[in-house]
Amino acid sequence: MTQPDDPQAPRRSSVPMDESTGSSPAVDPEVDPPVDPPVDPEVDPAVDPAVNATVESEADPVADPAVASAADPTHRSPAPGTSVATAAAPTARIARERRAHRRETIRTEAAAIRRRSFTVGMWARRAPVWMWPALLIITAIGGVLRLFNLDFPHRLIFDETYYVKDAFSVFKFGYERSWPENADESFNAGDPSVIESTPEYVVHPPLGKWIIGAGVHLFGADDSFGWRFSVAIVGTLTIFLMGFIAWKMFRSAFFACVAAGLLSIDGEHFVHSRTSLLDIVLMAFVLLAFAFIVADREFVTKRLATWAKPPPQEADPPAEAVAASTAQDARPSPQQHRLSSQHHLPSRRDARLSRRKDLTNFGPRLGVRPWLIAAGISLGLAMGVKWSGLYALAAFGILVVVWDVHSRHRAGVVHPWLGMLIRDSIPAFLKTVPVAFLAYLITWTGWIRSNDAWDRQWAAENTGWWQALPDWLQWLPSLAHYHYTAYLFHVGLESEHPYMSNPWGWIVQWRPTSFYYESPEHGSMGCAVDHCSSAITSVGNPVIWGLAPIALLIALVAWIVRRDVRAGAILAGIAATWLPWFAYQERTIFTFYTIVMVPFVVLALTYCLTLLWGRAPTDPKRSAADSSHHAPTPRAPKFTGRATRIPWPLFGRRMAVGLILVAAIMAFAYFWPIYTGEVIPFDAWNDRMWNTTWR
């Protein structure tokens, strides 16, 4: 007889009948604990209306005494003197457990459906043979344009006065030495011997100067071509890298070439590739890290696809068979249970099922992930050029976490967040952050090995806890103090500059930076009129940057509404290279810092162009059906090579894409004189200053 505090007896017994007596066997509650009902992982209630109807119509008889009495005539109310709260407490707990179990069942069944439909997708598509030669041709053209007349002007311009001279010093002495006040005149004349023996205090890490110094060392300090050679090569290589990333993200050879071409004709990228500043090197390492993260995503997707695909001998059986086998396995016979409880030795089948359930809940471990290690190294090298590479490390780390969770969810993992935390959070962190800081530390090797660099002997000259360190580690507190003083300099930089700008205007190039300007008179520098101009202005291509706000908005909507991870990855790059500067609006900052976000602006525009391009109808079965029913052929341009007709609306959209690309090329050609310092009449220069803030 059911006791007052016992839960309601089930309406249908799942205990097998004893064929010899025709009654159910006795159940010992200490030996045969209640077992949850079997879960059918092959049915998703979100898809199967029958499951939804069952879940929604299933009542909880324990939660309502009236329902319990109607469902079970043997149900009795609590005995007199028994507290109602005492009787209701286990009832409410059982109801909560049942609801939690029901939710877990639905989540498991939905994950099973996702797991069966998960494939490698676009990552399985291979690039056509012609794409790589096309990218090489675009890169070669961009390189020729960047190397053409690279030695003009034959003097240090803008911040080259710092970085080129420091690059010479770093490559020669291992650290930055100070220069006299009028050192530019001697250096322009090819005489760097005026460098002093005392160290110079600089606030940027040394890697970018090492790279610039390679060109100075190769061609000599007296050759202005050598000053800018290294950055020109770095800028050229990023063109091909952009095409590689675009192919990985969009899986379109045509738009891979489009992205590479747009980057090659952007004004900021072009000017920075011809000027020895650190920012183009910083951009290259950030873009390289992004490429490695995209490659890691392909690696992870293929790994999860292999895990989600069942072996041929273990293909998913019908749902009825799974439910029956699960129910049979869920309640072992009393004899089996007594034997297992006596020996405490789980069967091999139970261990295998436990492992399978664990993998289903959290997913597999993702292994070594070499591309993620490479991304960590690249981000560390980016920080070795400028500290702003730290923002990219933070943003890309968040991107990797979110991408991992999304991939596990699509692969049919029941608990993707827990799977990421349990399986791969710590390994992914160790492959990225410590690796990045180790790579960053290596960039200071020249400073560490020197004895006379700035602050190199600070630990020896000051007393503190670091005196307990061994002699070979005495450089560590000195380097930490150096970083502390450099940080104070950066956050306190508020000096006025005519070309300083606010980050709000960067996305539309509101106040571009002028790197060089001369006003030659008639007969000077080839000037054939009364007044000429020779300028190098770091202003982006007006077509690319004019469409940039629209492209970012579309990418944001696509990420929110369509859950397009490609748009989310592009926005992560924009966030890493733009948003942090809003915290320093009072500082002296410039629009040319946007060179680091140029690749992601190009990717955002390319993404929008892929949406505008659309897809042509290529279903041969539908075409055959239409012809059999004598459907009229629509009037549309026909491409005989593909034997398909493109509808006029789609043809118009593709013509719009072509017009945008042609307009970008024409804009680059129009602004060529102010990108290269070509001597033109003043009126021609003024015509290219489309905004008064550009002057």
Side-chain angles (χ1 to χ4, degrees):
M1 182 171 59
T2 307
Q3 298 300 322
D5 290 343
D6 290 341
Q8 177 191 359
R11 289 171 292 180
R12 182 182 304 169
S13 175
S14 59
V15 181
M17 300 292 293
D18 190 349
E19 295 181 357
S20 61
T21 62
S23 61
S24 301
V27 178
D28 185 357
E30 300 296 345
V31 178
D32 298 323
V35 181
D36 291 335
V39 177
D40 183 5
E42 304 301 322
V43 181
D44 186 1
V47 179
D48 191 347
V51 177
N52 278 333
T54 304
V55 173
E56 293 175 359
S57 62
E58 182 180 357
D60 190 356
V62 182
D64 189 352
V67 177
S69 300
D72 185 8
T74 63
H75 180 79
R76 298 182 179 181
S77 59
T82 304
S83 173
V84 178
T86 304
T91 302
R93 184 176 65 253
I94 293 173
R96 287 195 302 269
E97 291 177 354
R98 288 184 176 179
R99 287 194 296 268
H101 176 71
R102 197 174 297 124
R103 288 193 298 266
E104 186 70 15
T105 301
I106 295 173
R107 190 181 292 115
T108 303
E109 293 168 350
I113 291 179
R114 294 196 306 269
R115 188 162 55 253
R116 289 197 303 270
S117 61
F118 181 73
T119 60
V120 178
M122 69 173 188
W123 303 109
R125 192 181 309 166
R126 295 188 177 184
V129 179
W130 62 266
M131 188 190 78
W132 303 114
L135 287 178
L136 289 175
I137 293 174
I138 294 173
T139 303
I141 295 174
V144 170
L145 294 177
R146 281 153 177 76
L147 294 174
F148 172 75
N149 201 23
L150 185 62
D151 57 346
F152 180 84
H154 305 281
R155 65 178 181 84
L156 299 173
I157 62 173
F158 198 54
D159 282 352
E160 283 184 344
T161 184
Y162 305 115
Y163 303 134
V164 173
K165 291 186 298 184
D166 287 345
F168 170 82
S169 177
V170 164
F171 216 87
K172 188 173 181 63
F173 304 105
Y175 63 95
E176 299 87 346
R177 286 189 175 184
S178 57
W179 296 82
E181 185 176 354
N182 297 323
D184 282 5
E185 298 179 3
S186 299
F187 199 89
N188 292 334
D191 182 18
S193 61
V194 296
I195 189 173
E196 300 174 351
S197 59
T198 57
E200 178 72 15
Y201 177 66
V202 295
V203 294
H204 291 304
L207 179 59
K209 288 163 279 189
W210 277 100
I211 294 176
I212 295 174
V216 177
H217 179 76
L218 183 62
F219 291 92
D222 58 342
D223 191 347
S224 57
F225 181 88
W227 301 348
R228 306 173 182 121
F229 176 76
S230 294
V231 294
I233 297 300
V234 169
T236 301
L237 293 177
T238 57
I239 298 175
F240 185 86
L241 185 61
M242 171 58 69
F244 170 80
I245 294 174
W247 159 250
K248 289 292 184 182
M249 294 190 69
F250 308 126
R251 245 31 183 203
S252 169
F254 172 71
F255 282 103
C257 297
V258 166
L262 288 176
L263 185 66
S264 67
I265 61 175
D266 177 72
E268 274 208 87
H269 188 274
F270 182 78
V271 171
H272 275 266
S273 299
R274 295 171 54 88
T275 311
S276 278
L277 304 183
L278 301 179
D279 301 85
I280 186 71
V281 184
L282 170 64
M283 184 218 73
F285 284 119
V286 171
L287 188 63
L288 182 63
F290 186 77
F292 287 142
I293 289 175
V294 174
D296 174 74
R297 187 51 35 200
E298 180 178 0
F299 171 83
V300 169
T301 304
K302 292 180 178 179
R303 172 76 174 84
L304 291 174
T306 303
W307 167 79
K309 182 180 180 181
Q313 67 274 13
E314 296 184 6
D316 293 335
E320 295 80 3
V322 173
S325 61
T326 306
Q328 184 177 0
D329 295 339
R331 181 173 293 277
S333 65
Q335 183 180 2
Q336 293 175 342
H337 190 84
R338 290 190 182 94
L339 290 176
S340 62
S341 62
Q342 291 175 1
H343 298 283
H344 302 283
L345 294 175
S347 65
R348 186 175 302 175
R349 174 182 174 86
D350 294 339
R352 185 170 64 253
L353 292 176
S354 177
R355 288 195 300 269
R356 183 180 302 174
K357 180 179 179 182
D358 183 70
L359 283 175
T360 302
N361 283 336
F362 307 118
R365 301 184 186 277
L366 297 179
V368 178
R369 300 179 71 174
W371 296 114
L372 201 57
I373 299 175
I377 296 174
S378 299
L379 291 170
L381 298 180
M383 293 189 297
V385 178
K386 273 191 171 183
W387 283 359
S388 52
L390 184 62
Y391 301 136
L393 175 63
F396 290 167
I398 297 174
L399 174 63
V400 169
V401 169
V402 175
W403 232 342
D404 281 352
V405 174
H406 180 266
S407 297
R408 288 180 182 271
H409 172 78
R410 290 181 55 247
V413 175
V414 179
H415 300 285
W417 277 102
L418 288 177
M420 181 275 301
L421 292 174
I422 295 174
R423 295 283 194 249
D424 214 52
S425 59
I426 295 178
F429 176 84
L430 295 177
K431 294 166 190 172
T432 307
V433 178
V435 169
F437 280 99
L438 180 60
Y440 171 76
L441 192 61
I442 293 175
T443 63
W444 286 87
T445 302
W447 183 92
I448 294 172
R449 296 184 60 185
S450 67
N451 293 320
D452 303 327
W454 185 273
D455 255 1
R456 180 62 181 83
Q457 302 300 326
W458 180 87
E461 298 170 356
N462 296 269
T463 59
W465 58 267
W466 48 86
Q467 291 179 332
L469 295 175
D471 293 340
W472 61 274
L473 266 182
Q474 288 296 318
W475 57 268
L476 187 57
S478 299
L479 185 61
H481 181 265
Y482 193 167
H483 281 63
Y484 173 72
T485 58
Y487 171 77
L488 294 180
F489 171 85
H490 282 298
V491 298
L493 184 61
E494 296 181 0
S495 59
E496 292 292 330
H497 193 282
Y499 284 99
M500 63 184 299
S501 62
N502 191 287
W504 286 107
W506 288 2
I507 194 63
V508 292
Q509 298 287 294
W510 183 256
R511 181 61 171 161
T513 309
S514 176
F515 286 179
Y516 167 81
Y517 184 84
E518 291 287 344
S519 300
E521 301 295 335
H522 180 74
S524 174
M525 297 178 61
C527 180
V529 296
D530 293 338
H531 187 47
C532 293
S533 293
S534 176
I536 299 178
T537 306
S538 178
V539 58
N541 190 306
V543 175
I544 297 175
W545 288 89
L547 296 174
I550 302 175
L552 294 184
L553 182 61
I554 293 175
L556 181 62
V557 172
W559 177 55
I560 295 175
V561 176
R562 301 178 57 182
R563 298 292 192 271
D564 195 331
V565 294
R566 299 174 300 173
I570 296 171
L571 293 175
I574 295 292
T577 55
W578 183 27
L579 294 186
W581 294 105
F582 284 93
Y584 305 101
Q585 297 190 50
E586 302 300 327
R587 276 189 50 193
T588 306
I589 52 181
F590 304 90
T591 302
F592 76 83
Y593 293 172
T594 56
I595 178 60
V596 189
M597 61 184 288
V598 165
F600 302 102
V601 170
V602 170
L603 283 175
L605 179 58
T606 305
Y607 173 74
C608 294
L609 293 179
T610 62
L611 299 180
L612 181 60
W613 183 264
R615 295 183 179 180
T618 57
D619 189 0
K621 295 181 179 179
R622 184 174 181 179
S623 301
D626 292 341
S627 60
S628 62
H629 289 82
H630 305 283
T633 303
R635 294 180 176 272
K638 182 178 180 180
F639 295 86
T640 56
R642 298 179 58 187
T644 58
R645 290 187 180 274
I646 297 181
W648 280 111
L650 183 61
F651 179 75
R653 290 164 57 182
R654 296 189 172 183
M655 286 297 296
V657 172
L659 291 176
I660 291 174
L661 298 179
V662 171
I665 296 174
M666 295 179 63
F668 176 75
Y670 181 71
F671 282 87
W672 171 271
I674 67 171
Y675 290 155
T676 59
E678 183 177 324
V679 178
I680 57 176
F682 176 80
D683 292 338
W685 172 84
N686 192 54
D687 291 341
R688 288 165 174 80
M689 297 296 103
W690 289 359
N691 195 330
T692 56
T693 59
W694 291 11
R695 292 179 172 84

